[in-house]
Amino acid sequence: MSPQIKNIPRRQAIPILYTRGTHYDVGYDVGRTFAALIKNFLQLSGPLNDTYLPLYNTDEGRKVYNATLETVKKSFPQYIRELEGTADGAQVEFHKLFLLHMDDILPVAVEGRNSINQPIGCSTICVNEPDCEILAHTEDALSEVLNHYYFVSAHIVSDSPQGRYNVTEERFTSLCYAGHLPGYTMNYNHHGLVFSINTLSAARLHGGKTPRHFITRALLSAENFVQAQQILRDNGVGAADGCSVNMTFLKQEGDRLFHNAEMGPAERDQSQLNILTVSPGEYSTHANMYLRLPVPEVNGLIIDSSVERMKTFNAFKAPKTLNDVIRMLGDQSAQEHTVFREKDAKDIIKTVCVGIFDCKRRTWALYSDNPKFNAPLVVMPLVIKD
């Protein structure tokens, strides 16, 4: 009888894997290297075990699963091979990993309900000042994600063009939840794209469309802002669900520009998209609710939490410096839904880490604890193509 898996208190550790090869090779290396973390996470995941797997074992759930898988195989067969590699390397079932990437699509499509009424999500601040060009992000997740994440620094070279955008080379570093493809948390690629994700919960999701995890995985191949918009629109299919993408390109000509893209579930055959540009002298904040795109959202704690965190941000003066940003991201003054989340060990949602991209210094600082009181655990250079 195997021992019962339990989550452990916050660790000051973030492992990293450097890997090069085909999509399958990279996925396999991720699975083999982090097999213990992936297996633990699959056992601990409440949404997977309590909701996604029971629905997967129904006729209607399997129908939605198969339609979504076939759609992704047509658009992004290389990312399916990558995920198959992860499953093989970790010696876990592929369908469990794919269900994690479908997220709440299955319960909404089958039962018409959002399965997780929790204050889930992340907070992002972009500051565009002459001496401070920063994209900073709290990674907030269900408590079982704590200690179940890692960096993947990958160089993928293909013999032939891959997927709908004919990509032959990808090089990136991404913070990944255990068993998940790169792209859905904090990331940068060798073209100079830096981006972070805020989960958004639209009320109506679509089976048979492209899950946001695969759209943001494809975003890691983007060479410029035009390509990034093309990937987010996913023309011909469109997103199954929604998210907010905060991004900038380190190699862009002219002034520094940050962008916040709100992506909504597809209407007809492409994602809904609204983009806000943050010019020099401006800043932006985003949590886990639509601010501009008119998408009907779920009711409940994710919205309550976003409203309170945005209220906290708005109580600060406009951030101008790194210290201003750290004070905002480390704030715990709110009565219920704090920006940095860790009230006690029983918290359902925790800030699992904080990342700060410094575009002037070209560094990525990762904090495994509250940045107001702790130094970063690692500061990595952002290495981009000449």
Side-chain angles (χ1 to χ4, degrees):
M1 185 175 176
S2 60
Q4 185 177 359
I5 300 298
K6 294 190 298 185
N7 211 345
I8 58 176
R10 184 184 297 272
R11 304 298 302 161
Q12 302 299 315
I14 304 173
I16 185 167
L17 171 68
Y18 296 95
T19 174
R20 179 170 58 213
T22 65
H23 285 276
Y24 181 87
D25 291 338
V26 165
Y28 187 89
D29 288 338
V30 170
R32 186 179 71 90
T33 303
F34 300 117
L37 284 176
I38 293 169
K39 288 175 180 175
N40 282 9
F41 183 69
L42 291 180
Q43 290 189 46
L44 287 169
S45 174
L48 176 67
N49 294 298
D50 299 339
T51 302
Y52 305 160
L53 282 171
L55 286 173
Y56 171 80
N57 289 318
T58 67
D59 290 342
E60 183 62 24
R62 192 68 62 89
K63 182 179 175 183
V64 174
Y65 173 95
N66 288 335
T68 306
L69 179 58
E70 286 308 308
T71 293
V72 180
K73 280 184 175 178
K74 287 178 185 175
S75 295
F76 304 115
Q78 73 273 35
Y79 302 142
I80 294 298
R81 289 195 300 275
E82 193 173 314
L83 196 60
E84 288 171 342
T86 300
D88 290 347
Q91 298 183 330
V92 300
E93 299 97 323
F94 171 83
H95 73 271
K96 290 184 178 179
L97 299 188
F98 193 77
L99 285 168
L100 291 176
H101 290 74
M102 286 184 68
D103 218 339
D104 235 25
I105 295 167
L106 212 53
V108 172
V110 175
E111 299 182 336
R113 67 180 181 92
N114 182 283
S115 70
I116 309 171
N117 182 22
Q118 298 295 347
I120 201 164
C122 309
S123 306
T124 304
I125 303 171
C126 295
V127 176
N128 197 353
E129 291 292 328
D131 298 318
C132 182
E133 297 173 356
I134 281 176
L135 190 157
H137 182 83
T138 66
E139 193 59 46
D140 303 338
L142 291 167
S143 59
E144 56 256 37
V145 175
L146 189 69
N147 307 313
H148 290 87
Y149 57 91
Y150 41 76
F151 283 117
V152 172
S153 186
H155 186 192
I156 301 173
V157 181
S158 305
D159 293 335
S160 59
Q162 299 291 302
R164 66 185 307 186
Y165 302 118
N166 298 313
V167 179
T168 55
E169 181 184 24
E170 291 185 82
R171 196 164 196 163
F172 56 79
T173 299
S174 175
L175 186 77
C176 305
Y177 293 170
H180 290 68
L181 289 171
Y184 198 69
T185 60
M186 296 177 259
N187 325 264
Y188 86 95
N189 72 12
H190 69 159
H191 301 297
L193 169 61
V194 171
F195 68 99
S196 73
I197 305 297
N198 311 113
T199 292
L200 301 177
S201 290
R204 187 163 174 262
L205 310 182
H206 307 297
K209 298 289 188 180
T210 310
R212 57 195 173 201
H213 284 75
F214 288 92
I215 289 177
T216 59
R217 173 64 188 85
L219 202 56
L220 282 168
S221 70
E223 297 184 24
N224 52 54
F225 187 47
V226 172
Q227 283 188 13
Q229 292 176 81
Q230 179 187 31
I231 290 166
L232 292 172
R233 287 195 187 280
D234 197 40
N235 195 36
V237 182
D241 41 10
C243 65
S244 156
V245 183
N246 312 276
M247 59 181 150
T248 190
F249 280 87
L250 297 178
K251 293 174 68 175
Q252 68 194 29
E253 294 181 7
D255 293 333
R256 164 73 47 221
L257 297 174
F258 293 93
H259 309 281
N260 174 260
E262 291 186 347
M263 182 184 76
E267 289 186 340
R268 296 188 178 89
D269 62 355
Q270 71 174 18
S271 313
Q272 301 175 71
L273 196 63
N274 180 290
I275 295 176
L276 170 74
T277 296
V278 182
S279 300
E282 299 177 342
Y283 77 99
S284 69
T285 57
H286 212 287
N288 305 102
M289 58 187 290
Y290 286 99
L291 300 179
R292 304 178 307 277
L293 204 59
V295 173
E297 296 179 85
V298 300
N299 297 314
L301 291 172
I302 188 171
I303 302 301
D304 297 344
S305 168
S306 296
V307 168
E308 191 162 7
R309 281 178 282 141
M310 292 297 283
K311 184 178 178 182
T312 298
F313 283 158
N314 291 334
F316 283 88
K317 292 180 180 178
K320 304 284 187 183
T321 66
L322 172 61
N323 286 336
D324 291 343
V325 171
I326 286 175
R327 280 194 292 271
M328 292 170 73
L329 290 185
D331 189 271
Q332 294 179 296
S333 63
Q335 189 168 354
E336 186 172 2
H337 302 297
T338 59
V339 177
F340 189 92
R341 307 188 195 190
E342 184 159 67
K343 287 187 175 180
D344 56 53
K346 296 178 181 177
D347 280 351
I348 294 172
I349 302 297
K350 288 185 182 292
T351 297
V352 298
C353 60
V354 174
I356 298 178
F357 292 95
D358 188 322
C359 300
K360 294 186 77 69
R361 293 181 175 83
R362 291 194 176 181
T363 58
W364 180 4
L366 210 291
Y367 299 77
S368 56
D369 215 325
N370 193 323
K372 279 179 69 173
F373 311 114
N374 298 276
L377 189 61
V378 61
V379 180
M380 297 184 293
L382 302 177
V383 181
I384 61 177
K385 251 182 175 178
D386 294 332

